[in-house]
Amino acid sequence: MKTILMGALAALTLAAATPAAACDEHAKKDTHAGAARAAPAEKPAAAPVGKNGVSTVELTVTSKGFEPANVKVKAGHPVRLVVTRKTDKTCAKELILDDLGINQPLPLDTPVTVEFTPSETGTLRYACAMDHISGIVTIQ
Ligand SMILES: [Cu+2]
């Protein structure tokens, strides 16, 4: 009787430990991490400046990563990123924008807003917490 109970406990511990493994999608394929680290080759999607002077950019997190992974905005205008994570099959559960000190959690199916005003032209890179999945904002 005692042995059976021990077995059940071990099984429980295992089951509890499995979902805690972060970034397992990436861990399975190491080559993916290296490839994704390069700037996305995708042509930037231009985000127009709205009447309120703000460029609103809708981003989604899917199993493919951030979409679109490259957006173009204008320097000197506030940018509002509205980010919605649509899948649990991603480790991009946060958006890290190192240059601006932004670390924004991305709850499932809930649009969250990240706002900043880029003053200079160039690119801003953002990524998941483990820096596997990334995207860029091109500032012109
Ligand atoms: Cu990751």
Side-chain angles (χ1 to χ4, degrees):
M1 196 61 197
K2 199 175 180 187
T3 325
I4 291 163
L5 198 70
M6 293 273 289
L9 260 177
L12 264 177
T13 313
L14 260 177
T18 309
C23 264
D24 58 336
E25 288 290 312
H26 292 305
K28 276 181 223 151
K29 32 183 183 174
D30 274 348
T31 50
H32 165 77
R37 217 173 286 274
E42 193 180 313
K43 198 168 178 283
V49 177
K51 281 183 190 142
N52 54 2
V54 177
S55 299
T56 301
V57 179
E58 305 257 352
L59 291 179
T60 55
V61 178
T62 71
S63 55
K64 292 184 214 156
F66 291 102
E67 296 193 78
N70 189 353
V71 293
K72 200 161 62 176
V73 299
K74 281 210 161 69
H77 290 274
V79 175
R80 183 175 294 151
L81 300 181
V82 182
V83 191
T84 311
R85 178 165 65 86
K86 305 245 184 188
T87 179
D88 258 332
K89 292 195 170 117
T90 180
C91 76
K93 291 175 182 164
E94 284 114 45
L95 186 154
I96 315 293
L97 219 167
D98 259 346
D99 292 343
L100 303 176
I102 290 170
N103 182 338
Q104 173 64 56
L106 303 173
L108 185 65
D109 288 327
T110 310
V112 294
T113 302
V114 174
E115 285 182 307
F116 56 92
T117 303
S119 53
E120 290 170 23
T121 58
T123 55
L124 273 176
R125 187 177 179 281
Y126 58 85
C128 69
M130 292 192 70
D131 203 26
H132 291 137
I133 299 173
S134 65
I136 57 173
V137 178
T138 302
I139 303 141
Q140 294 190 320

PDB file of all heavy atoms in Angstrom, residues 23 26 91 128 130-133, ligand 1:
ATOM      1  N   CYS A  23      10.027  28.035 -22.270  1.00  0.00           N
ATOM      2  CA  CYS A  23      10.668  28.079 -23.578  1.00  0.00           C
ATOM      3  C   CYS A  23      10.959  26.699 -24.138  1.00  0.00           C
ATOM      4  O   CYS A  23      11.924  26.535 -24.857  1.00  0.00           O
ATOM      5  CB  CYS A  23      11.969  28.872 -23.519  1.00  0.00           C
ATOM      6  SG  CYS A  23      11.732  30.566 -24.011  1.00  0.00           S
ATOM      7  N   HIS A  26      11.573  26.365 -27.856  1.00  0.00           N
ATOM      8  CA  HIS A  26      12.887  26.755 -28.353  1.00  0.00           C
ATOM      9  C   HIS A  26      13.946  25.735 -28.003  1.00  0.00           C
ATOM     10  O   HIS A  26      14.833  25.457 -28.786  1.00  0.00           O
ATOM     11  CB  HIS A  26      13.306  28.097 -27.778  1.00  0.00           C
ATOM     12  CG  HIS A  26      12.459  29.206 -28.293  1.00  0.00           C
ATOM     13  ND1 HIS A  26      12.294  29.427 -29.621  1.00  0.00           N
ATOM     14  CD2 HIS A  26      11.725  30.126 -27.663  1.00  0.00           C
ATOM     15  CE1 HIS A  26      11.485  30.463 -29.786  1.00  0.00           C
ATOM     16  NE2 HIS A  26      11.128  30.898 -28.609  1.00  0.00           N
ATOM     17  N   CYS A  91       6.877  31.271 -26.339  1.00  0.00           N
ATOM     18  CA  CYS A  91       7.449  31.721 -25.083  1.00  0.00           C
ATOM     19  C   CYS A  91       7.475  33.248 -25.071  1.00  0.00           C
ATOM     20  O   CYS A  91       8.004  33.850 -24.149  1.00  0.00           O
ATOM     21  CB  CYS A  91       8.810  31.090 -24.806  1.00  0.00           C
ATOM     22  SG  CYS A  91      10.114  31.779 -25.747  1.00  0.00           S
ATOM     23  N   CYS A 128      11.177  38.366 -26.900  1.00  0.00           N
ATOM     24  CA  CYS A 128      10.659  37.655 -25.731  1.00  0.00           C
ATOM     25  C   CYS A 128      11.727  37.694 -24.647  1.00  0.00           C
ATOM     26  O   CYS A 128      12.865  38.081 -24.899  1.00  0.00           O
ATOM     27  CB  CYS A 128      10.305  36.213 -26.090  1.00  0.00           C
ATOM     28  SG  CYS A 128      11.721  35.158 -26.447  1.00  0.00           S
ATOM     29  N   MET A 130      13.517  35.528 -23.304  1.00  0.00           N
ATOM     30  CA  MET A 130      14.735  34.746 -23.523  1.00  0.00           C
ATOM     31  C   MET A 130      15.431  35.144 -24.822  1.00  0.00           C
ATOM     32  O   MET A 130      16.394  34.499 -25.241  1.00  0.00           O
ATOM     33  CB  MET A 130      14.415  33.259 -23.497  1.00  0.00           C
ATOM     34  CG  MET A 130      14.001  32.818 -22.110  1.00  0.00           C
ATOM     35  SD  MET A 130      13.930  31.045 -21.922  1.00  0.00           S
ATOM     36  CE  MET A 130      15.669  30.639 -22.002  1.00  0.00           C
ATOM     37  N   ASP A 131      14.951  36.169 -25.446  1.00  0.00           N
ATOM     38  CA  ASP A 131      15.566  36.729 -26.646  1.00  0.00           C
ATOM     39  C   ASP A 131      15.602  35.748 -27.819  1.00  0.00           C
ATOM     40  O   ASP A 131      16.568  35.695 -28.572  1.00  0.00           O
ATOM     41  CB  ASP A 131      16.979  37.242 -26.320  1.00  0.00           C
ATOM     42  CG  ASP A 131      17.435  38.305 -27.314  1.00  0.00           C
ATOM     43  OD1 ASP A 131      16.574  38.982 -27.897  1.00  0.00           O
ATOM     44  OD2 ASP A 131      18.652  38.436 -27.526  1.00  0.00           O
ATOM     45  N   HIS A 132      14.556  34.957 -27.946  1.00  0.00           N
ATOM     46  CA  HIS A 132      14.480  33.995 -29.048  1.00  0.00           C
ATOM     47  C   HIS A 132      13.621  34.553 -30.179  1.00  0.00           C
ATOM     48  O   HIS A 132      13.936  34.414 -31.348  1.00  0.00           O
ATOM     49  CB  HIS A 132      13.805  32.697 -28.586  1.00  0.00           C
ATOM     50  CG  HIS A 132      14.629  31.915 -27.638  1.00  0.00           C
ATOM     51  ND1 HIS A 132      14.099  31.323 -26.522  1.00  0.00           N
ATOM     52  CD2 HIS A 132      15.936  31.622 -27.646  1.00  0.00           C
ATOM     53  CE1 HIS A 132      15.057  30.699 -25.885  1.00  0.00           C
ATOM     54  NE2 HIS A 132      16.183  30.865 -26.552  1.00  0.00           N
ATOM     55  N   ILE A 133      12.478  35.119 -29.769  1.00  0.00           N
ATOM     56  CA  ILE A 133      11.502  35.595 -30.742  1.00  0.00           C
ATOM     57  C   ILE A 133      11.581  37.115 -30.722  1.00  0.00           C
ATOM     58  O   ILE A 133      11.487  37.721 -29.660  1.00  0.00           O
ATOM     59  CB  ILE A 133      10.093  35.116 -30.345  1.00  0.00           C
ATOM     60  CG1 ILE A 133      10.056  33.591 -30.338  1.00  0.00           C
ATOM     61  CG2 ILE A 133       9.039  35.686 -31.287  1.00  0.00           C
ATOM     62  CD1 ILE A 133       8.764  33.018 -29.807  1.00  0.00           C
TER      63      ILE A 133
HETATM   64 CU    CU B   1      11.878  32.666 -26.250  1.00  0.00          CU
END
